Amino acid sequence: MVGGLGTLMVDDYPNIADHGLIGDLQTAALIDTNGTIDWFCAPRFDSPSVFGSLLDAERGGYCSVRPDTDDYVSRQLYLPNTAILITRFLTEEGVGELIDFMPVEEGEATDRHRLVRMLRVVRGTMSFVAEVMPRFDYGRASHRIVPGDGMGAKFVSDDFSLTLHRVGDPVLHGAERAGHIELVGDGIRVTGSLNAGEMAGVMLETGGADPTRIPLDEMNAMQLETTRFWRDWNNRSTYRGRWREMVARSAMTLKLMTYAPTGALVAAPTAGLPEQVGGERNWDYRYTWIRDASFSVYALLGLGYTEEAEAFVAWLMDRVHESVGTDSGPLKIMYRVDGTSDLVEETLEDFAGYRGSRPVRIGNGAADQLQLDIYGEAMDSIHLADTHGLQLPHVGWTQISDMLDWVCDHWDQPDEGIWETRGGTQNFTYGRFMCWVALDRGIRLAQSRGRPAPILRWREQRDAIYEEVMKDGWHAERGAFVQHQDTDVLDASLLVMPLMGFVAPRDPMWLSTLAAMDAELVSDSLVYRYNPSASPDGLRGSEGTFTLCTFWYVDALARSGYLEDAQLTFEKMLTYANHLGLYAEEIGLTGEQLGNFPQAFSHLSLINAAVNLDYQLDHGSGVVDPVLTKGRRAT
């Protein structure tokens, strides 16, 4: 990707899929197959970018390590069972390996984050060039360079600094100034060569430290500790099914997108990556959606990660507690990782956008939308956590009870729906039936735990919702449940109706709906969330198929008795992963990844589909794991 300082061109943007992800559980970095860090925000996922050339090749900033030739082949892999990324360079002179990782920060929130880049030559000789070109605050903040007397350098702006530490003793060969730090513009460059068995590297650190030389033994110990953390975490998984490698990678990807100080899961670590290249569907996903994170509880519990599920439920209950007494509803649809909700959307006017995809947005204007379905997803996760021993305290139950009273009063108003369209409010079927889920799970919790609750009222409203969905959400001419009562448009979000127990998976009404979706929303096993030409969503352009919806489709097929079709669809879907097993939000017409990357929804739905499909393959079509679905109806 990088041909030299200042030579990035629009055509040089890597494919979205051509990236690996590393992180320290407070922030993360994307590294492309040419060894370039082109996205890194600090000190948190939702902080301004330090490297952002993925969204503007000229202004965004980057850190690259690559062979000093254009004639090379690169390959990427993760060190097995870890989040340590290895980029291999194969040249005519030799083979080198770039090892990238971030030591894990599990404790309190910190401004200090370390990003290690170690290059070793394993065969022959390799000449290389490394460049560090930070651009703070999305390229809006200027900085100065403070050299570190051969120990490294420090990039300093008014509000932020990035330190470059040297690792090990100089072993660089080549020209007279091989291994020396050269100031080039407002960045630096290091060149040199290494022979087989030799290693050189740097550590980038935020938080204000001065440059120093880090002994190689200390760096090796840091890598060993990082390896041990990820392997110990991976070994906690209880999954023993057919797709262990893909499930494990998806689980580690979700862990990488979890903000450890609060337990919040971001939807993606990136912003502005397009759902249609060159289009305007470019959103900031570095926040925690109630919906996404609630579905993650199902995935985490399915793999035995009860601590992570408990941490998110605690985070969710904090949001419920904070909203007590507000007029806007008990919950917002999304928050920052620290639980605040200042997500004002703005446009980076000077950013070119990924391959010209503009506007580039930071913040998210959908944060203040009314999306009634979040109460169903939240209550389903709380109920599922309860069945696994994570019970609510008294105060928590009181606040949940108040929230469900609010649902009783507001479930019948129009909302903006799960897909956050900007085409106005509707009486969305998905929002309606998820309100049914909210009340149903509340009733079950009250009854199973003997908690005080206006159960008669909740039951009355739950049943009223059921009757309305069966009447107004059903389109007799289409023979299907539809997006909302004033349309005949199909909506893939309704694939979760049998999963949530709203309809029996072999109910003729459901089988007819599934057949209609097969005919209209499914393309070679891939599933569109809806047909935007038939249902205007207030945005120009089109989009790819939704990875989340495809995995929902797998589950719906299996529950409805189409087990062979479900397995084939799942296996096909695995072929659309990138070279590391990662998924963006969408898949384009020719199989390209689209949207923010990697996407939490995609990976948690893969886990859920794998766990459920495994159980049904072992026990028979339509049978579901009672441990995972404990308390759910019609399964």
Side-chain angles (χ1 to χ4, degrees):
M1 169 183 164
V2 183
L5 208 61
T7 63
L8 286 163
M9 304 297 290
V10 170
D11 292 339
D12 291 326
Y13 290 92
N15 295 326
I16 292 173
D18 290 346
H19 289 89
L21 180 74
I22 63 172
D24 65 0
L25 309 187
Q26 295 194 22
T27 187
L30 263 64
I31 302 170
D32 75 9
T33 51
N34 289 310
T36 298
I37 302 173
D38 53 18
W39 185 256
F40 173 62
C41 300
R44 303 189 319 200
F45 294 104
D46 55 357
S47 299
S49 63
V50 177
F51 302 123
S53 62
L54 189 58
L55 295 184
D56 192 307
E58 294 292 342
R59 301 177 183 85
Y62 61 90
C63 174
S64 69
V65 179
R66 62 176 180 82
D68 193 12
T69 175
D70 292 330
D71 187 17
Y72 68 90
V73 174
S74 64
R75 298 286 187 269
Q76 273 185 330
L77 71 155
Y78 280 110
L79 187 67
N81 301 316
T82 77
I84 296 175
L85 185 67
I86 302 173
T87 305
R88 289 171 55 83
F89 299 114
L90 290 76
T91 71
E92 291 184 356
E93 290 76 27
V95 177
E97 293 183 342
L98 175 63
I99 303 167
D100 285 300
F101 67 94
M102 296 181 69
V104 174
E105 300 285 350
E106 281 198 286
E108 298 294 321
T110 177
D111 289 338
R112 182 196 186 202
H113 298 280
R114 296 164 293 170
L115 204 163
V116 178
R117 315 207 75 190
M118 298 297 298
L119 180 66
R120 66 184 179 190
V121 173
V122 296
R123 299 184 67 184
T125 300
M126 177 174 292
S127 298
F128 74 93
V129 57
E131 297 172 341
V132 183
M133 289 287 292
R135 294 289 184 270
F136 301 138
D137 190 21
Y138 309 107
R140 298 179 297 192
S142 61
H143 66 267
R144 67 184 189 279
I145 302 176
V146 181
D149 296 328
M151 299 295 102
K154 191 171 184 178
F155 303 86
V156 182
S157 72
D158 290 341
D159 301 316
F160 194 84
S161 67
L162 178 71
T163 303
L164 173 68
H165 303 289
R166 299 289 295 272
V167 176
D169 296 323
V171 293
L172 303 168
H173 313 285
E176 179 181 349
R177 293 191 56 77
H180 289 269
I181 293 177
E182 303 176 58
L183 302 183
V184 183
D186 51 5
I188 64 172
R189 177 189 288 137
V190 179
T191 57
S193 65
L194 295 171
N195 297 325
E198 295 178 338
M199 176 179 290
V202 298
M203 183 176 79
L204 302 171
E205 182 178 8
T206 66
D210 291 326
T212 186
R213 189 179 298 280
I214 301 172
L216 190 58
D217 287 347
E218 181 179 330
M219 188 56 62
N220 288 337
M222 195 179 298
Q223 181 178 339
L224 182 63
E225 181 61 28
T226 304
T227 301
R228 184 180 297 113
F229 170 85
W230 285 108
R231 287 182 173 165
D232 287 348
W233 188 86
N234 187 59
N235 288 337
R236 285 172 47 203
S237 173
T238 58
Y239 180 76
R240 299 295 182 268
R242 293 165 175 79
W243 299 284
R244 293 188 190 181
E245 185 174 350
M246 289 299 294
V247 167
R249 182 52 56 195
S250 288
M252 280 187 278
T253 303
L254 290 178
K255 183 68 171 176
L256 282 168
M257 290 189 279
T258 301
Y259 184 66
T262 64
L265 174 76
V266 296
T270 58
L273 292 180
E275 296 173 17
Q276 179 186 31
V277 175
E280 66 170 333
R281 299 167 185 256
N282 319 311
W283 314 109
D284 189 348
Y285 275 12
R286 298 171 298 157
Y287 310 113
T288 300
W289 269 252
I290 294 293
R291 177 186 306 111
D292 303 38
S294 294
F295 276 119
S296 74
V297 172
Y298 186 84
L300 291 167
L301 290 176
L303 302 182
Y305 290 113
T306 54
E307 290 180 11
E308 286 76 5
E310 184 176 16
F312 170 71
V313 171
W315 179 90
L316 174 61
M317 291 309 302
D318 286 341
R319 307 291 78 75
V320 174
H321 174 74
E322 292 166 357
S323 65
V324 171
T326 63
D327 296 328
S328 58
L331 291 172
K332 290 183 176 293
I333 68 168
M334 72 180 86
Y335 298 85
R336 291 187 180 273
V337 290
D338 62 356
T340 58
S341 55
D342 54 328
L343 280 77
V344 176
E345 187 175 298
E346 61 178 302
T347 298
L348 298 178
E349 299 293 348
D350 293 333
F351 258 30
Y354 176 82
R355 294 182 178 173
S357 303
R358 301 188 68 191
V360 178
R361 300 179 177 92
I362 56 173
N364 199 304
D368 293 322
Q369 287 187 356
L370 175 66
Q371 296 176 19
L372 290 169
D373 66 278
I374 64 173
Y375 298 101
E377 288 128 0
M379 281 305 303
D380 190 60
S381 67
I382 290 169
H383 175 255
L384 188 61
D386 179 87
T387 65
H388 285 72
L390 307 178
Q391 297 182 36
L392 290 173
H394 168 70
V395 172
W397 171 253
T398 301
Q399 293 166 348
I400 288 296
S401 182
D402 290 342
M403 183 180 79
L404 293 176
D405 286 339
W406 185 92
V407 172
C408 286
D409 292 333
H410 295 86
W411 66 262
D412 59 349
Q413 62 182 300
D415 72 335
E416 274 144 318
I418 179 176
W419 304 127
E420 296 172 6
T421 60
R422 303 198 176 185
T425 60
Q426 298 288 348
N427 295 305
F428 285 105
T429 304
Y430 183 78
R432 288 288 195 272
F433 101 76
M434 289 303 291
C435 286
W436 176 93
V437 171
L439 295 171
D440 181 74
R441 304 308 189 259
I443 293 168
R444 293 174 183 277
L445 272 175
Q447 292 175 329
S448 65
R449 297 298 180 189
R451 298 294 178 88
I455 291 180
L456 290 178
R457 183 183 186 226
W458 292 357
R459 182 180 294 130
E460 178 184 64
Q461 293 302 309
R462 181 198 65 180
D463 294 348
I465 297 170
Y466 182 89
E467 295 295 339
E468 179 175 305
V469 170
M470 289 300 179
K471 174 178 176 291
D472 295 331
W474 174 258
H475 195 286
E477 293 182 9
R478 292 295 315 259
F481 291 103
V482 292
Q483 190 175 70
H484 58 80
Q485 64 185 33
D486 297 319
T487 186
D488 64 355
V489 171
L490 302 176
D491 192 316
S493 65
L494 302 182
L495 285 165
V496 301
M497 293 176 86
L499 170 65
M500 291 295 176
F502 187 83
V503 297
R506 301 200 190 193
D507 186 314
M509 294 175 71
W510 173 249
L511 295 178
S512 178
T513 301
L514 190 57
M517 290 188 184
D518 285 338
E520 186 170 310
L521 298 184
V522 180
S523 172
D524 186 36
S525 79
L526 300 174
V527 181
Y528 291 94
R529 54 183 182 169
Y530 56 87
N531 182 351
S533 63
S535 177
D537 55 16
L539 298 165
R540 296 187 299 273
S542 60
E543 60 186 19
T545 57
F546 246 59
T547 298
L548 162 73
C549 296
T550 302
F551 286 122
W552 279 350
Y553 179 59
V554 169
D555 191 78
L557 284 172
R559 289 171 188 270
S560 300
Y562 305 109
L563 194 51
E564 290 186 5
D565 291 338
Q567 184 172 6
L568 179 59
T569 298
F570 187 82
E571 294 284 1
K572 280 186 175 182
M573 192 60 198
L574 298 185
T575 70
Y576 287 103
N578 86 336
H579 57 290
L580 297 168
L582 306 183
Y583 291 89
E585 183 177 34
E586 302 180 14
I587 295 172
L589 186 62
T590 59
E592 70 274 21
Q593 302 274 356
L594 295 172
N596 285 302
F597 180 90
Q599 180 82 1
F601 237 160
S602 300
H603 288 278
L604 66 89
S605 60
L606 181 153
I607 293 170
N608 292 340
V611 171
N612 289 336
L613 186 55
D614 267 317
Y615 193 85
Q616 292 169 72
L617 287 168
D618 292 339
H619 295 82
S621 177
V623 180
V624 294
D625 187 344
V627 175
L628 287 177
T629 57
K630 188 176 179 181
R632 283 180 168 153
R633 291 175 41 174
T635 54

